Amino acid sequence: MQQKFETPIDSSIFTAEQLAGHPVGGQESFRSASAHGWPLVLYFHHVHPTHQHYTSLRPESFVRALDLVLEKFAPVSLDDLIQPDGTFSAPPQAPSVLFTFDDGYADVLEVAVPAMQDRGISATFFVCTGLLGQRSENPAENYLSWSNVGELAAAGHTIAAHGVTHRPLPDLSQEEVDSEVRDSLTQLRERAGVTLPAYAFPYGLAAPIPRRVDGFTSDVVAFGTVKAAPRPWTEAPQAIRRVYLPTDQDDSWPGIVNEWRIRWELSA
């Protein structure tokens, strides 16, 4: 039986044409969230009071975003969705959301991780293994350490790969692409005990990547950004779409989240 959420859906703010899946207000890039019945996947980079980035939120905005999304979507972890042999579990009958973070910035430890743990959220952290432990005079450019990665995994979060160096794959030779994917996953397996070969394309720029990496028992699952089409994971296991809540546009979030929920209801 489909789970019912207490917060009602206000469909009056959308026209019939909009609900049919046509572009809405020129912002279709993040309004078209996921394939029919599949989880909404959100991505962030920073949770920081001053850093400017299109997927970086101020601490108070991030907490508001969590509560807003959780009014209409139930949190799931990547382990809920992928079996150890790499097969996808049946999508949840209730509208669900997977929270993800890219690059491995240390500022997520201050507010994001405690806020998620208070709400029962197990997120996925796509880290660049060659950048872990780096420190900068700019606190927003500090990265998680390997110890931090282990602590996140022990707390129930999923650790996944974002390459070694965060270079855009289309700029690399095929040998370099393979190395970025294989080396980052191998390092996470050997140093952090990662068993699920999940990867996110830097900058959302996709390129052909290895289907299988030695030491893992299942195929590599790869995540994009809004550049990826909203397709079922079973049809595009190396091109899973992720979306975001636009920074400094908090007033638009209720309408965006509401539409994500409406589209899930209409298509599930």
Side-chain angles (χ1 to χ4, degrees):
M1 179 178 295
Q2 181 174 306
Q3 180 178 347
K4 297 298 183 183
F5 285 70
E6 294 180 359
T7 304
I9 301 171
D10 179 12
S11 60
S12 64
I13 63 175
F14 302 108
T15 67
E17 182 181 26
Q18 289 170 335
L19 293 178
H22 295 283
V24 182
Q27 299 295 331
E28 184 69 8
S29 63
F30 55 81
R31 289 184 185 271
S32 182
S34 60
H36 293 183
W38 287 83
L40 166 71
V41 186
L42 291 178
Y43 68 103
F44 307 89
H45 282 76
H46 294 271
V47 177
H48 191 276
T50 61
H51 188 72
Q52 295 296 312
H53 186 276
Y54 80 103
T55 63
S56 298
L57 301 184
R58 294 182 299 276
E60 63 275 15
S61 293
F62 179 76
V63 171
R64 178 170 179 261
L66 290 184
D67 291 337
L68 187 64
V69 171
L70 293 178
E71 287 179 355
K72 299 185 187 299
F73 295 87
V76 291
S77 71
L78 198 56
D79 290 336
D80 293 330
L81 303 169
I82 305 178
Q83 297 296 319
D85 64 359
T87 60
F88 295 113
S89 301
Q93 294 301 304
S96 57
V97 57
L98 174 66
F99 293 90
T100 70
F101 292 79
D102 283 3
D103 297 359
Y105 290 110
D107 56 49
V108 299
L109 298 174
E110 297 295 323
V111 173
V113 171
M116 290 190 297
Q117 291 181 333
D118 287 346
R119 292 160 176 78
I121 297 170
S122 296
T124 297
F125 291 87
F126 292 102
V127 301
C128 299
T129 56
L131 302 180
L132 290 177
Q134 286 193 10
R135 293 294 182 265
S136 169
E137 294 182 359
N138 178 2
E141 296 177 359
N142 289 337
Y143 288 86
L144 298 167
S145 67
W146 280 100
S147 177
N148 294 148
V149 166
E151 292 165 358
L152 288 171
H157 299 289
T158 300
I159 306 301
H162 200 38
V164 177
T165 64
H166 201 267
R167 290 180 294 171
L169 298 192
D171 293 347
L172 307 180
S173 68
Q174 190 60 55
E175 182 179 1
E176 290 174 315
V177 168
D178 291 351
S179 178
E180 282 285 321
V181 177
R182 294 182 189 279
D183 291 353
S184 59
L185 284 168
T186 298
Q187 290 164 11
L188 290 175
R189 178 177 59 80
E190 293 177 347
R191 299 191 61 174
V194 167
T195 59
L196 176 65
Y199 174 83
F201 293 103
Y203 309 103
L205 299 174
I209 62 174
R211 184 179 68 85
R212 184 68 70 93
V213 172
D214 290 345
F216 293 93
T217 59
S218 58
D219 292 347
V220 177
V221 177
F223 289 76
T225 60
V226 292
K227 299 180 179 72
R231 299 169 61 190
W233 294 18
T234 48
E235 293 181 8
Q238 291 194 341
I240 297 173
R241 180 177 175 83
R242 297 185 295 163
V243 293
Y244 61 94
L245 288 168
T247 188
D248 294 329
Q249 298 182 40
D250 302 28
D251 290 345
S252 71
W253 293 355
I256 294 171
V257 175
N258 191 57
E259 185 176 347
W260 287 342
R261 172 65 185 274
I262 290 171
R263 292 192 179 199
W264 195 97
E265 295 280 2
L266 292 179
S267 62

